[in-house]
Amino acid sequence: MRDVLPWREPVPLDGTMGEPRARGRFGEYGGRYAPESLVEACREVDEAFREAWADPGFRGALARLLAVHAGRPTPLTPARRLSEALGVQLYLKREDLTHTGSHKINNVLGQALLATRMGRRRLIAETGAGQHGVATATAAALLGLEATVFMGERDIERQALNVFRMRMLGAEVVPVTTGSRTLKDATSEAMRHWVGATGDSHYCIGSVVGPDPYPWMVREFQRVIGDEARGQCAAELRTGVPDYVIACVGGGSNAAGTFAGFADTPARLVGVEAEGGAGAARGRLGVLHGCRSLFLQDDDGQITEPHSIAAGLDYPGVGPEHAHLRDLGRARYVTVTDDEAVGAAVRLARTEGIVPALESAHALAWVIRAAGGGDLPAGSTVLMTLSGRGDKDVSTLKELL
Ligand SMILES: *Cc1c(COP(=O)(O)O)cnc(C)c1O
């Protein structure tokens, strides 16, 4: 099955991945579809973020936190044995080596620092598998903030270890008992709770989704991945810029941060979604959680329950900027199955000594398939963001292998 858009030649180099247009629009996507009180709260976040992002003092403080607390810059690792087997030059951007083990810490430290600057004393967050919750609890502890994390009751049962981690870090974990008792419901509940707490709390969204300014702000906090990788590629690659830039896409934050560093180059951008959570590849226009974008829906427009073996890809939609990049033909969105992802995880473990998160293994699975099927021409240079480490997935893998 060919589920990808053809490249549009030449790849447009200008105007993509800058600031969104007025009211957070990326093409026809984005916006701020929220109750009145949250529209005002979002406006405050927008104003504070613009001011902070233009302030070298804020940027310097964040860069220092990322360096001394999160372990940045992360290395660019050539995957030598796997490259040889695939016939391409594969380089891995190692977000798995950050503190807490994934790129989520980049965004959370940015938002926590912004919350402090806004005089807020508490972070509110939603979490599915618990990765964003753990990152939020970590940043809150570091900066002396409180943290309240909303989590579906079913996810609480499935992710007991991360629930314990959050509590160990001092966060309050609030079980959500509505709907399917998973991430979508936790997000709705967190937004509802924020309505009554905007004065002293900052809502820390975990991906490039939600009402304006979140999709833009979270991408800016994640662009450190792409900016670092751009410099590392310039130093390491014969061509300076890779031919292909690949990342997995749940809501799309690690991909957006990676793509942002290469949007003005001829590099071809590929986002890899889970077969069962393919908002960009298969979603339809809709509004959810404050934002107009592509979502998995039934014929009545009801959001359908996604499924992926990788909890971080288990979101029924995709961020508005990805929907726009897809329409422009600037990025392609492809899907891989659970089985392909598991196979790729094992292969990376055995060729490079790295156990990846199952989310990141999706990106690798597409690289493996495309290198074998001619979608990645022999000799191509490929940059892939390895969004996280696989420790959280070992019990899932143990059941299967
Ligand atoms: C949460 C998560 C993702 C998916 O989130 P994006 O916003 O799409 O980046 C991917 N990889 C890992 C390791 C995650 O924890």
Side-chain angles (χ1 to χ4, degrees):
M1 177 180 23
R2 239 194 133 70
D3 54 5
V4 296
L5 289 171
W7 298 111
R8 245 177 251 166
E9 306 286 356
V11 175
L13 300 182
D14 49 1
T16 48
M17 305 205 84
E19 255 187 56
R21 289 187 294 115
R23 297 185 307 284
R25 293 289 178 173
F26 301 92
E28 61 171 314
Y29 309 102
R32 199 180 274 168
Y33 295 87
E36 197 133 2
S37 53
L38 288 195
V39 168
E40 177 54 25
C42 288
R43 210 192 45 70
E44 282 176 30
V45 174
D46 183 62
E47 194 177 305
F49 172 64
R50 281 173 192 277
E51 210 180 82
W53 213 223
D55 174 4
F58 180 85
R59 292 236 189 183
L62 180 56
R64 187 169 162 72
L65 271 183
L66 289 169
V68 303
H69 196 72
R72 302 210 75 88
T74 58
L76 183 72
T77 303
R80 291 197 200 284
R81 297 202 327 118
L82 190 55
S83 291
E84 200 169 308
L86 297 177
V88 298
Q89 299 288 322
L90 175 62
Y91 292 83
L92 305 172
K93 181 59 176 160
R94 300 291 304 279
E95 295 305 295
D96 60 315
L97 294 179
T98 57
H99 179 49
T100 68
S102 87
H103 67 289
K104 288 200 169 71
I105 195 77
N106 305 327
N107 166 46
V108 155
L109 284 176
Q111 288 199 50
L113 199 61
L114 184 69
T116 312
R117 187 180 165 106
M118 294 175 76
R120 305 294 190 253
R121 59 168 189 83
R122 186 169 67 124
L123 299 178
I124 299 168
E126 78 292 332
T127 197
Q131 297 299 107
H132 175 58
V134 169
T136 301
T138 299
L142 178 69
L143 296 181
L145 299 165
E146 290 169 34
T148 305
V149 181
F150 290 84
M151 191 170 184
E153 212 172 37
R154 256 181 73 202
D155 289 332
I156 287 183
E157 286 159 20
R158 294 191 287 191
Q159 306 289 342
L161 204 58
N162 273 342
V163 175
F164 174 74
R165 276 199 191 118
M166 288 183 261
R167 290 184 172 144
M168 166 112 196
L169 288 158
E172 179 194 10
V173 180
V174 181
V176 174
T177 56
T178 50
S180 54
R181 296 175 292 139
T182 56
L183 176 61
K184 176 165 63 70
D185 315 288
T187 307
S188 306
E189 201 54 44
M191 290 183 88
R192 241 190 311 274
H193 179 79
W194 193 33
V195 171
T198 53
D200 71 347
S201 302
H202 173 74
Y203 180 23
C204 182
I205 296 185
S207 190
V208 286
V209 299
D212 177 55
Y214 286 93
W216 174 54
M217 176 172 72
V218 175
R219 180 251 277 164
E220 288 297 289
F221 285 141
Q222 292 293 2
R223 78 178 299 138
V224 66
I225 304 172
D227 288 345
E228 278 179 15
R230 175 82 176 268
Q232 289 166 322
C233 287
E236 297 250 332
L237 272 57
R238 195 174 30 78
T239 49
V241 172
D243 299 318
Y244 293 84
V245 173
I246 322 266
C248 65
V249 173
S253 68
N254 86 90
T258 305
F259 292 176
F262 296 89
D264 65 345
T265 77
R268 294 173 163 191
L269 312 177
V270 182
V272 185
E273 300 188 291
E275 183 67 41
R282 301 214 213 298
R284 285 189 270 165
L285 190 62
V287 172
L288 180 69
H289 300 144
C291 159
R292 188 165 195 247
S293 192
L294 298 171
F295 300 98
L296 300 176
Q297 307 168 47
D298 64 18
D299 288 337
D300 297 326
Q302 291 296 314
I303 303 296
T304 55
E305 199 61 27
H307 170 76
S308 170
I309 193 169
L313 305 187
D314 223 344
Y315 186 72
V318 70
E321 190 167 29
H322 287 292
H324 183 49
L325 291 172
R326 183 195 80 154
D327 285 3
L328 289 175
R330 180 63 188 95
R332 272 167 83 180
Y333 295 87
V334 298
T335 65
V336 307
T337 64
D338 285 357
D339 286 350
E340 285 178 299
V342 170
V346 173
R347 187 131 182 222
L348 190 68
R350 293 185 184 171
T351 52
E352 304 296 334
I354 299 168
V355 177
L358 281 171
E359 291 84 356
S360 325
H362 281 69
L364 184 66
W366 186 79
V367 172
I368 292 170
R369 190 211 293 159
D375 250 344
L376 277 180
S380 304
T381 48
V382 180
L383 168 73
M384 191 198 103
T385 295
L386 193 74
S387 56
R389 64 178 184 227
D391 304 41
K392 69 185 179 55
D393 296 318
V394 288
S395 60
T396 305
L397 288 165
K398 186 161 163 279
E399 299 284 299
L400 293 170
L401 300 172

